Amino acid sequence: MNRDVMLIEPASSSAMREMFKEKYPYPPVGLLHIAAFLKLHGYTVHVVDMMIEDHSRQDFRRRLATLSRSPLAVGISLYTECFYEGIEVAALVRELFPETCIVAGGPHATFRPDEVLSYDCIDFVIRHEGESAMVELLEHLQHPQGLPVERIQSLAYRDVNGAVRSNPTRPFVTNLDLLPFPSYESVPALQESYKESFMFVSSPGCPGDCVFCASRAMSGKRYRFHSAEWVFSLAYEYFRRYGFNRMVFLDDTFTVHRKRAEAFCHYLLTAWPGSEPPRWACKSRVDRVSDEICALMSRAGCLSIHIGVESADQGVLDAIAKHIRLEQTFEAIRVARRHGLRVDCSFIIGHHADTRATIEKTILFAQAIRDHGIGTAAIGISTPFPGTRLFEDAEKLGITITTRNWRKYDLVTPVYDTQRFTKNDLRRALYFLEHESRRGKQMVGLTGQRHEQFRAKLDRLIAEIEADENAQVKLSKGGVQ
């Protein structure tokens, strides 16, 4: 009986693939979870990560040709920015293995199943979580009468008349600890990178509901998480295999469940098999950062914490439903720095509520973070991905989406119009931050304003951080004496 399955993560372009290989060698964690679940049910799974591996069309064709037989099914993860490349991969698989079932999953497939199924090379779409639905679909392929497609929750397909049908959504897994560890060994090309940095997700989704993010729509409204014991066991097991130097939590908000975060840190401090805990990094929200948790994380080896600042204007933060105050952002940065944590800040310009003036303030904030050595500052352009309220409620939010060319949904290309600013305003703002500000220019140049009041706030923040750090240095020297 054929129980071979291939899971594929497409790459959106060769340029992006090279960037990811160099800076962000993230494993395809979603596919690795599905691979582990399929292996648990007796399937042989091959994972192809085109974001990391070098695969031209001909290379991929040759790889498929080396298979001893056609797979029972091929699953392809579709993100919006790599949608077309995923369809090209599916077409090639169909050409070489016309009898193989081709399944699409991932965010784009979840929110636009009709579009995905308009391509003949895609047979099924699995929406939201894929583990159980994929197992049931594979059982259907082998025993179609015993398990008809109509009974498989979260499955979308074409009926006998060619109309797209979407079955009811499967309830989300509530006890995540019942799932097996992700099958990291399924991507041979990443084995060496695991020895340096081990990356994983301990809690899918996010309790926030920002208009630009589809995390909650994709993973459910309820915040779900693995226990501290499960997470520590995962890290412990793979440290024994690879001996990595660094861990990275890919969760959107690691510190949301404070007791779990504290328990994990205590396990690192008391039960880690190495001489000292590995260095690690995580993400969180500014309203979930405190003196106590930062102090404990720092002692347990944490080097940096990523926070989504998004905007330097309170009105914009309110409009995007961030549910934080700008003062909380300043305080979170102060607290993290006080305990020696690098602060990795992400910003977005071009929010539907932005103006030229608020965009300038956000650019100035990012510049201050970067130029004063407080942390890193990454900035992107607001992009209405399918599944976000920015996409679904575009007209209500006052924007006009100007293209459905998904390749342009890359976080650096403006794809909608508004009366508040132009696409060229966004391009000029990014150019200022990346080039002109590094040459000492002080004015962003969209409005002619200097934003003296906001600059004064930034100056106070920087002075307070420097004072804290000087005090820590003096305390340290006093302790030595």
Side-chain angles (χ1 to χ4, degrees):
M1 181 180 293
N2 185 356
R3 298 180 72 83
D4 293 345
V5 178
M6 178 175 281
L7 303 176
I8 302 172
E9 183 97 343
S12 56
S13 69
S14 58
M16 178 168 280
R17 181 170 63 246
E18 290 307 312
M19 180 194 73
F20 267 82
K21 283 176 66 175
E22 181 180 351
K23 294 185 177 181
Y24 311 108
Y26 295 170
V29 176
L31 293 185
L32 300 185
H33 275 282
I34 294 174
F37 203 72
L38 296 183
K39 289 180 178 181
L40 196 65
H41 286 78
Y43 292 93
T44 300
V45 185
H46 308 272
V47 178
V48 179
D49 184 0
M50 293 182 164
M51 202 67 85
I52 299 298
E53 302 176 54
D54 290 315
H55 275 302
S56 67
R57 185 180 179 85
Q58 291 306 315
D59 289 336
F60 184 60
R61 180 190 292 273
R62 281 192 289 269
R63 176 163 182 170
L64 292 178
T66 64
L67 298 178
S68 58
R69 58 181 174 181
S70 61
L72 173 63
V74 170
I76 302 173
S77 183
L78 293 182
Y79 291 84
T80 297
E81 64 273 24
C82 64
F83 171 71
Y84 300 113
E85 286 74 14
I87 295 300
E88 289 177 10
V89 167
L92 183 56
V93 172
R94 174 69 79 225
E95 177 187 333
L96 293 178
F97 302 125
E99 302 304 317
T100 291
C101 172
I102 301 177
V103 190
H108 197 87
T110 292
F111 300 119
R112 295 186 64 81
D114 290 61
E115 177 188 19
V116 175
L117 287 167
S118 70
Y119 291 86
D120 292 340
C121 55
I122 302 293
D123 298 308
F124 296 98
V125 162
I126 291 177
R127 297 175 290 110
H128 302 285
E129 293 177 336
E131 288 88 344
S132 295
M134 189 67 173
V135 168
E136 290 184 8
L137 178 59
L138 295 176
E139 294 304 306
H140 160 77
L141 296 177
Q142 298 166 93
H143 311 286
Q145 301 303 318
L147 182 56
V149 292
E150 295 82 4
R151 287 172 47 193
I152 303 176
Q153 293 175 312
S154 292
L155 191 71
Y157 55 93
R158 291 181 293 270
D159 65 17
V160 292
N161 298 315
V164 174
R165 305 292 182 189
S166 288
N167 294 342
T169 301
R170 183 181 302 271
F172 291 100
V173 177
T174 55
N175 186 353
L176 296 180
D177 285 2
L178 295 177
L179 299 175
F181 290 161
S183 181
Y184 286 90
E185 62 278 4
S186 294
V187 187
L190 283 172
Q191 300 305 299
E192 286 301 312
S193 71
Y194 296 154
K195 296 177 182 178
E196 178 60 32
S197 187
F198 182 65
M199 305 179 186
F200 54 91
V201 174
S202 74
S203 56
C206 177
D209 193 24
C210 303
V211 301
F212 58 83
C213 180
S215 182
R216 197 175 186 187
M218 182 70 186
S219 299
K221 295 181 180 180
R222 178 182 174 186
Y223 181 65
R224 299 172 298 140
F225 51 88
H226 288 284
S227 68
E229 291 74 21
W230 189 96
V231 179
F232 181 78
S233 297
L234 171 71
Y236 189 104
E237 170 62 20
Y238 281 96
F239 178 78
R240 288 177 60 250
R241 296 193 195 185
Y242 300 114
F244 52 80
N245 300 315
R246 184 169 178 261
M247 297 188 300
V248 179
F249 282 88
L250 300 178
D251 310 29
D252 289 328
T253 47
F254 170 68
T255 64
V256 163
H257 194 290
R258 179 170 167 173
K259 289 184 178 180
R260 183 184 78 117
E262 290 174 344
F264 178 75
C265 289
H266 285 303
Y267 287 133
L268 286 178
L269 290 167
T270 59
W272 189 251
S275 57
E276 61 179 3
R279 300 295 177 248
W280 52 283
C282 66
K283 304 178 186 178
S284 193
R285 287 174 53 92
V286 299
D287 54 357
R288 301 291 179 159
V289 175
S290 67
D291 259 312
E292 295 78 13
I293 193 63
C294 284
L296 179 58
M297 291 197 310
S298 180
R299 290 207 320 273
C302 185
L303 291 178
S304 66
I305 184 168
H306 171 278
I307 56 174
V309 178
E310 318 310 0
S311 175
D313 183 82
Q314 187 61 54
V316 173
L317 291 172
D318 294 341
I320 64 176
K322 186 69 179 177
H323 301 303
I324 61 170
R325 300 188 317 279
L326 190 57
E327 289 74 17
Q328 288 177 297
T329 301
F330 287 174
E331 179 61 17
I333 293 172
R334 278 193 292 263
V335 166
R337 292 297 301 162
R338 187 178 303 144
H339 296 286
L341 301 179
R342 187 184 74 233
V343 185
D344 298 327
C345 300
S346 59
F347 300 82
I348 297 174
I349 59 172
H351 292 291
H352 71 281
D354 256 327
T355 64
R356 292 178 179 89
T358 61
I359 291 169
E360 286 183 324
K361 287 167 62 179
T362 300
I363 292 291
L364 292 174
F365 197 177
Q367 180 186 4
I369 293 293
R370 182 195 68 193
D371 292 354
H372 289 275
I374 296 170
T376 64
I379 194 160
I381 290 177
S382 178
T383 304
F385 289 103
T388 66
R389 281 190 283 150
L390 195 60
F391 183 88
E392 306 298 338
D393 299 330
E395 185 176 353
K396 185 188 301 183
L397 294 173
I399 66 172
T400 301
I401 298 174
T402 57
T403 181
R404 295 292 175 87
N405 178 352
W406 305 123
R407 285 194 177 96
K408 294 187 176 182
Y409 284 56
D410 56 8
L411 300 176
V412 294
T413 304
V415 296
Y416 63 72
D417 286 332
T418 174
Q419 296 298 315
R420 295 170 174 267
F421 52 83
T422 69
K423 292 175 180 174
N424 275 339
D425 289 330
L426 302 181
R427 297 184 183 104
R428 287 166 60 196
L430 285 184
Y431 185 82
F432 170 85
L433 183 64
E434 295 303 320
H435 302 283
E436 293 178 338
S437 69
R438 297 180 187 275
R439 297 196 293 266
K441 187 173 179 181
Q442 297 297 309
M443 297 279 287
V444 181
L446 301 185
T447 67
Q449 298 180 39
R450 287 193 56 81
H451 304 285
E452 297 291 358
Q453 230 178 355
F454 184 66
R455 288 178 188 268
K457 282 186 178 181
L458 292 177
D459 288 342
R460 285 195 295 273
L461 171 66
I462 293 162
E464 289 166 356
I465 290 172
E466 290 176 348
D468 279 345
E469 291 178 350
N470 289 335
Q472 291 294 326
V473 170
K474 288 181 180 179
L475 184 63
S476 174
K477 288 182 178 179
V480 171
Q481 293 174 349

